[in-house]
Amino acid sequence: MKKNSIAKLVALLFVSILLLTACNKKTEHNNKPSHQHVTNQEYICPMHPEVIQDKPGSCPICGMELVPRHTPGTETAIDSSLKHLLKPVNEQVVSNISVIKPQGGTKIFSLQVQGIITYDTREQTSIASRVSGRIERLLIKYNYQPVKKGQLIMEIYSPDLAAAQRELLFIYQSDANNPMLQKAKERLYLLGMQQKQIQQVLKTGKISYRIPVYSNATGYILDNTAAGNSFTAAPAASPQSIVSDDGMGAMGSSGNAASNSSASSPAVSAIMLREGQYIGAGQSLFTIYTNKNLIAEFAFDPSVSPQVKKGQKLVFYEPSDKQTVYTGTVGLIQPVFKEGTNFTVARIYLQDNKFQTGKLVTATIPIVSKGWWLPQSAVLDLGNKSIVFKREKDVFVPREVKTKNNADGMVLIDQDISDWGIASNAAYMIDSESFIKIASENKLKN
């Protein structure tokens, strides 16, 4: 009986060993493909894709560390719950930056705009040629050359003038009492000859082939080629205005409030007219500016123009002498569109001549603005537009906004953003390369 029990125990143990052996073989068979996959992993050089090895190491060409080679079908799937976070930074930004709310209210501040002292165009006179011909002698050598009334400017040879003098001499020599003689004198006078010159022709019997042209005013002469491009206030390429709080502190720079004046100051340059050049009858040749009355012209953004009225008093000063303050009355407000830029010019007529033309001046304009205000750090100026980052759910989305004035480090937004949550620092959120690329693509599409 005891022997049978031992035999059964041995048989049971043998069966157990056989089962364990079969399970181990099955497990090894199942694990074999995985082991083979690891064994078949290849490594390549990032700089030299032709270098392929079956184990990690270094590139024999450049010495860079080999990286695992991508095998199709082994991509990692992206969880659908994260797809809305994986967008370009020019579409949305994931950040834990602090969020601020716009501040509504009214701010009173002073806007400083740049201007220039120039000539009053109401006092300018023009010199035109009465006859067609050729410039034989030119006495004006450069622009803004001082001239006096009655001063000889140039002499013109005119075939028409010579023919009119021949008619005068023919009538005079034929019959000195002929009534046509007075008509011939009037014709020469209308062609630009002086009475003394006409009498000289009758006395000597010689034809004067040159007609003199005299200045009709005292001032500074400028040829019309240069006069067409002078004395117009215009904003600079990067408009800047200095804005200051009304006695409460200094203001920051503003890229949207107004524009600098880059009016051309009088500069000495050669005139375009030359001796030997042909001109036509009635052609305007020169403009003479008198410095008896001067004006101060200031250029600013059109958004400020509703707060500047004709007859309003403005305070201005020279940047070199801020202690001496002048006052003037706005006599003209003129909207201007020049070189693709829209701006407004305010003109102050000066009653004295203690100023010099071409001198820069700065005027202070009181401004009252009401709306929604944001710190300058929250608004990103891209040049042609302004961007803020609005909080939407768990991301920040860039939104374009319309800005107006800057005051006390705050930017006035010209739209309703009362319920917006905005990132406190826009520059921190931006990826400059992405925004520049998108802007370039949009420009090409347009």
Side-chain angles (χ1 to χ4, degrees), residues 151-219:
Q151 178 180 335
L152 180 63
I153 293 177
M154 62 181 179
E155 294 179 349
I156 301 174
Y157 163 72
S158 174
D160 295 338
L161 182 64
Q165 292 180 76
R166 289 192 183 95
E167 293 179 0
L168 175 67
L169 290 177
F170 177 78
I171 296 174
Y172 178 75
Q173 293 173 359
S174 299
D175 183 4
N177 298 322
N178 192 326
M180 294 296 295
L181 181 63
Q182 184 62 29
K183 300 294 183 180
K185 291 181 180 180
E186 291 180 0
R187 181 185 179 189
L188 287 174
Y189 180 75
L190 294 176
L191 288 176
M193 290 190 69
Q194 304 294 325
Q195 292 292 345
K196 292 182 178 180
Q197 293 175 315
I198 297 174
Q199 295 298 328
Q200 184 69 16
V201 171
L202 294 176
K203 182 178 180 181
T204 60
K206 295 182 179 181
I207 297 175
S208 176
Y209 291 94
R210 295 184 179 182
I211 176 173
V213 178
Y214 298 95
S215 172
N216 54 8
T218 299

Side-chain angles (χ1 to χ4, degrees), residues 148 154 250 259 272 312 339 342 360 368 394 404 422 436:
K148 295 182 179 181
M154 62 181 179
S259 303
M272 301 302 295
Q312 178 179 341
E339 297 179 358
N342 184 23
L360 298 177
V368 179
D394 52 352
K404 292 184 67 175
I422 298 174
I436 293 172

Side-chain angles (χ1 to χ4, degrees), residues 117 294-296 298 311-318 322-331 347-352 354-355 361-364:
I117 304 297
L294 301 177
I295 61 173
F298 300 92
Q312 178 179 341
K313 292 285 186 180
L314 290 185
V315 178
F316 62 96
Y317 58 88
E318 299 177 8
K322 297 183 179 180
Q323 302 299 325
T324 304
V325 179
Y326 307 94
T327 59
T329 303
V330 177
R347 178 178 295 181
I348 296 178
Y349 296 100
L350 306 177
Q351 301 300 324
D352 50 54
K354 58 185 176 183
F355 296 98
V361 290
T362 302
T364 302

Side-chain angles (χ1 to χ4, degrees), residues 98-100 102 374 378 388-391 396 417 420-424:
S98 59
V99 178
I100 60 175
L374 287 174
V388 298
F389 286 86
K390 178 184 177 183
R391 179 82 176 189
F396 290 91
I417 58 171
W420 288 19
I422 298 174
S424 59

